[in-house]
Amino acid sequence: MKKVTKAVIPAAGLGTRVLPATKAMPKGMLPLVDKPAIQYLVEEAVRSGITDILIILGRNQSIIEDHFDRSPELEEKLAKPGKEKMLEECLGIANLANILFVRQKETLGLGHAVNTAKAFTGDDPFVVIYGDDVIWGEDPVCAQLIRAYEEFGRPVAGVSAVPWEDVSRYCSLKTTPIHDNYFFVDDMIEKPKKGQEFSNYSILGRVLLTPEIYEILAHTKPGAGGEIQLTDAMAEYARTRGGMTAVEFTGKHYDMGNKLKVVEAQVELALQHPEIGEEFRAYLKEFCKTL
């Protein structure tokens, strides 16, 4: 079994759910305290042992490339006494991993985006980190998926139980318990209508795939929303190639395409921030007295 060292981050979406903030800025660059959302995704991958990352971009998103690049002008200004920590942080961003970029010329769905990664992943297994989903926790979700892959040897989906009324917004998996937080999956459906649900377990932002997925994506037709859905390809894999594993992951999930969840992420991550956490907590206590 090959070691999982590659990750793909589809980040080409237009961010229409969080306009007007994303009119001129990719939603991946929405700041969560002092780091853009997409940096949290890259750092999760690195903490999981990933060394090579492909970020899939759309037009007018070169700011994401710039963020993970060196900045000689800024570094020169920070190379002065008293600014060593800031310089270290900026250099650290550029050296997180071997990060490559490719442009998705048309936004035809997540399945279409993942298909653009074929040359990058080759014959290796790889993690897909959905660009909308920041998941914060001590145990990185990518690492949880990799451990499941190493145990069972099947593609893996990171799942969570969502309220039944929300299942139609996500997908629904047909699951059978294995042990602990592991499930066997032999079918799934994207954005099910009422009565089509298998369960209220939905994929939330992380999957681990093997190269066989490309054979399926090559003939996957547009599905929900008129887009090529990665869920449809995974459903065919689950039905015809021996199933997948689902991991009910640990960690707090934030949907960066949801304005309320973005604000929740800002507040909760600020409370945990080593520099401002205590002061922010005190501010919130005082502010709440005014409500």
Side-chain angles (χ1 to χ4, degrees), residues 10 16 24 26 34 57 61 69 91 97 116 133 136 147 150 222 243 291:
T16 52
D34 54 359
L57 302 176
Q61 292 186 330
D69 199 0
L91 291 174
T116 66
D133 299 273
W136 180 257
R147 292 197 298 270
E150 291 172 345
L291 299 178

Side-chain angles (χ1 to χ4, degrees), residues 72-80 83:
E73 299 84 358
L74 176 60
E75 292 166 14
E76 183 179 355
K77 290 185 178 296
L78 295 178
K80 297 177 181 180
K83 297 185 177 181

Side-chain angles (χ1 to χ4, degrees), residues 152-168:
F152 300 105
R154 297 188 294 258
V156 187
V159 305
S160 185
V162 303
W164 278 100
E165 61 269 23
D166 292 341
V167 174
S168 62

